[in-house]
Amino acid sequence: QVRLVESGGGLVQAGGSLRLSCAASVSIASINALAWYRQAPGNQRELVAGIGRLGSTNYTDSVKGRFTISRDNAKNTVYLQLNSLKPEDTAVYYCAALTKLDNYWGQGTQVTVSS
């Protein structure tokens, strides 16, 4: 069982920045992949960014060059740095741990970008 707790969301003006954190209840060093998803009202949940066990990363096209995912295995925490935020980035952001046995999700943190 992996428990994930997100933090760092909030209200920010367009062009601003936020840093989301996701603290895991277990060591993340051996977790194959960690990811951030988001879901806006009326939309399906979408993958925003992912990071592999060895540090490889991938991003959805709409956030490339603006968002950065990283992991700190010593702190069992994964981060998402959000820069140059746009109103269309408004959503609930979820952290996910993708393991061999199951996928685990956090409760989500709201990011709201005002124009």
Side-chain angles (χ1 to χ4, degrees), residues 92-111:
V92 178
Y93 284 70
Y94 297 90
C95 176
L98 312 178
T99 74
K100 294 180 181 179
L101 296 178
D102 206 344
N103 297 335
Y104 300 92
W105 298 87
Q107 83 288 350
T109 185
Q110 176 71 46
V111 171

Side-chain angles (χ1 to χ4, degrees), residues 4-115:
L4 303 170
V5 179
E6 300 100 332
S7 61
L11 173 63
V12 64
Q13 290 188 331
S17 297
L18 286 172
R19 188 194 196 200
L20 307 184
S21 299
C22 173
S25 60
V26 300
S27 172
I28 66 171
S30 60
I31 293 180
N32 287 336
L34 297 158
W36 287 94
Y37 286 73
R38 67 185 178 186
Q39 187 168 18
N43 291 356
Q44 290 186 334
R45 190 172 297 189
E46 65 169 347
L47 175 66
V48 176
I51 185 166
R53 186 169 56 86
L54 300 180
S56 60
T57 59
N58 64 284
Y59 300 90
T60 192
D61 286 345
S62 62
V63 308
K64 284 180 181 177
R66 300 189 299 122
F67 292 7
T68 303
I69 188 170
S70 61
R71 61 192 292 169
D72 186 335
N73 289 345
K75 295 183 178 180
N76 295 323
T77 300
V78 60
Y79 302 98
L80 186 67
Q81 179 69 41
L82 293 69
N83 296 330
S84 302
L85 282 160
K86 304 176 181 180
E88 51 264 42
D89 294 319
T90 295
V92 178
Y93 284 70
Y94 297 90
C95 176
L98 312 178
T99 74
K100 294 180 181 179
L101 296 178
D102 206 344
N103 297 335
Y104 300 92
W105 298 87
Q107 83 288 350
T109 185
Q110 176 71 46
V111 171
T112 302
V113 185
S114 63
S115 58

